[in-house]
Short mmCIF file of all heavy atoms in Angstrom, two decimals:
data_model
loop_
_atom_site.label_atom_id
_atom_site.label_comp_id
_atom_site.label_asym_id
_atom_site.label_seq_id
_atom_site.Cartn_x
_atom_site.Cartn_y
_atom_site.Cartn_z
N TRP A 280 -35.55 2.10 -6.85
CA TRP A 280 -35.37 2.64 -5.50
C TRP A 280 -34.22 3.63 -5.42
O TRP A 280 -34.27 4.57 -4.62
CB TRP A 280 -35.18 1.49 -4.51
CG TRP A 280 -36.34 0.55 -4.52
CD1 TRP A 280 -36.35 -0.76 -4.89
CD2 TRP A 280 -37.71 0.87 -4.17
NE1 TRP A 280 -37.62 -1.29 -4.80
CE2 TRP A 280 -38.47 -0.32 -4.35
CE3 TRP A 280 -38.35 2.03 -3.73
CZ2 TRP A 280 -39.84 -0.36 -4.10
CZ3 TRP A 280 -39.71 1.98 -3.49
CH2 TRP A 280 -40.45 0.80 -3.67
N ASN A 281 -33.17 3.43 -6.20
CA ASN A 281 -32.07 4.41 -6.18
C ASN A 281 -32.57 5.79 -6.58
O ASN A 281 -32.33 6.79 -5.88
CB ASN A 281 -30.97 3.97 -7.15
CG ASN A 281 -30.05 2.93 -6.55
OD1 ASN A 281 -30.40 2.28 -5.58
ND2 ASN A 281 -28.89 2.74 -7.14
N GLU A 282 -33.27 5.87 -7.70
CA GLU A 282 -33.78 7.15 -8.18
C GLU A 282 -34.83 7.71 -7.22
O GLU A 282 -34.91 8.94 -7.02
CB GLU A 282 -34.37 6.99 -9.58
CG GLU A 282 -33.34 6.66 -10.66
CD GLU A 282 -33.02 5.18 -10.73
OE1 GLU A 282 -33.50 4.42 -9.85
OE2 GLU A 282 -32.28 4.78 -11.64
N ALA A 283 -35.64 6.82 -6.63
CA ALA A 283 -36.66 7.28 -5.69
C ALA A 283 -36.02 7.93 -4.46
O ALA A 283 -36.46 8.99 -3.99
CB ALA A 283 -37.55 6.11 -5.27
N VAL A 284 -34.95 7.31 -3.93
CA VAL A 284 -34.23 7.88 -2.79
C VAL A 284 -33.65 9.24 -3.16
O VAL A 284 -33.74 10.21 -2.39
CB VAL A 284 -33.13 6.91 -2.32
CG1 VAL A 284 -32.14 7.63 -1.40
CG2 VAL A 284 -33.74 5.72 -1.60
N GLN A 285 -33.02 9.33 -4.31
CA GLN A 285 -32.40 10.58 -4.73
C GLN A 285 -33.44 11.71 -4.83
O GLN A 285 -33.22 12.82 -4.33
CB GLN A 285 -31.70 10.37 -6.08
CG GLN A 285 -30.48 9.48 -6.00
CD GLN A 285 -29.97 9.10 -7.38
OE1 GLN A 285 -30.74 8.99 -8.34
NE2 GLN A 285 -28.67 8.88 -7.49
N GLU A 286 -34.56 11.43 -5.49
CA GLU A 286 -35.56 12.47 -5.67
C GLU A 286 -36.21 12.86 -4.33
O GLU A 286 -36.51 14.05 -4.11
CB GLU A 286 -36.63 12.00 -6.66
CG GLU A 286 -36.16 11.96 -8.10
CD GLU A 286 -35.74 13.33 -8.62
OE1 GLU A 286 -36.36 14.34 -8.22
OE2 GLU A 286 -34.78 13.39 -9.41
N ARG A 287 -36.38 11.89 -3.42
CA ARG A 287 -37.00 12.24 -2.14
C ARG A 287 -36.07 13.08 -1.30
O ARG A 287 -36.51 14.00 -0.58
CB ARG A 287 -37.40 10.97 -1.40
CG ARG A 287 -38.49 11.20 -0.36
CD ARG A 287 -39.83 11.40 -1.05
NE ARG A 287 -40.84 11.91 -0.14
CZ ARG A 287 -42.15 11.79 -0.35
NH1 ARG A 287 -42.60 11.17 -1.43
NH2 ARG A 287 -43.01 12.28 0.51
N MET A 288 -34.77 12.78 -1.36
CA MET A 288 -33.82 13.61 -0.62
C MET A 288 -33.78 15.02 -1.19
O MET A 288 -33.70 16.01 -0.45
CB MET A 288 -32.43 12.97 -0.68
CG MET A 288 -31.38 13.71 0.16
SD MET A 288 -31.80 13.67 1.92
CE MET A 288 -30.70 14.92 2.58
N ARG A 289 -33.88 15.13 -2.49
CA ARG A 289 -33.93 16.46 -3.11
C ARG A 289 -35.21 17.20 -2.70
O ARG A 289 -35.18 18.42 -2.50
CB ARG A 289 -33.85 16.34 -4.62
CG ARG A 289 -32.47 15.90 -5.12
CD ARG A 289 -32.47 15.55 -6.59
NE ARG A 289 -31.13 15.12 -7.00
CZ ARG A 289 -30.89 14.12 -7.86
NH1 ARG A 289 -31.92 13.46 -8.38
NH2 ARG A 289 -29.67 13.78 -8.17
N ALA A 290 -36.29 16.45 -2.58
CA ALA A 290 -37.55 17.07 -2.13
C ALA A 290 -37.41 17.62 -0.72
O ALA A 290 -37.91 18.71 -0.42
CB ALA A 290 -38.68 16.03 -2.19
N ILE A 291 -36.72 16.88 0.15
CA ILE A 291 -36.52 17.34 1.53
C ILE A 291 -35.76 18.67 1.55
O ILE A 291 -36.18 19.64 2.20
CB ILE A 291 -35.77 16.27 2.35
CG1 ILE A 291 -36.67 15.07 2.62
CG2 ILE A 291 -35.24 16.86 3.66
CD1 ILE A 291 -35.95 13.91 3.30
N VAL A 292 -34.65 18.71 0.82
CA VAL A 292 -33.83 19.92 0.84
C VAL A 292 -34.55 21.08 0.18
O VAL A 292 -34.54 22.22 0.67
CB VAL A 292 -32.48 19.64 0.15
CG1 VAL A 292 -31.64 20.92 0.06
CG2 VAL A 292 -31.71 18.56 0.90
N ARG A 293 -35.22 20.80 -0.95
CA ARG A 293 -35.94 21.89 -1.62
C ARG A 293 -37.07 22.42 -0.73
O ARG A 293 -37.31 23.65 -0.68
CB ARG A 293 -36.52 21.40 -2.94
CG ARG A 293 -37.18 22.49 -3.75
CD ARG A 293 -36.16 23.53 -4.22
NE ARG A 293 -35.40 23.02 -5.35
CZ ARG A 293 -34.19 23.43 -5.69
NH1 ARG A 293 -33.57 24.34 -4.94
NH2 ARG A 293 -33.56 22.92 -6.73
N SER A 294 -37.74 21.53 -0.01
CA SER A 294 -38.81 21.97 0.89
C SER A 294 -38.25 22.86 1.99
O SER A 294 -38.86 23.89 2.35
CB SER A 294 -39.51 20.75 1.50
OG SER A 294 -40.47 21.13 2.45
#
Side-chain angles (χ1 to χ4, degrees):
W280 302 116
N281 279 18
E282 293 83 354
V284 165
Q285 291 170 329
E286 287 299 325
R287 202 74 193 202
M288 184 63 194
R289 290 170 181 140
I291 289 174
V292 176
R293 185 66 78 205
S294 175

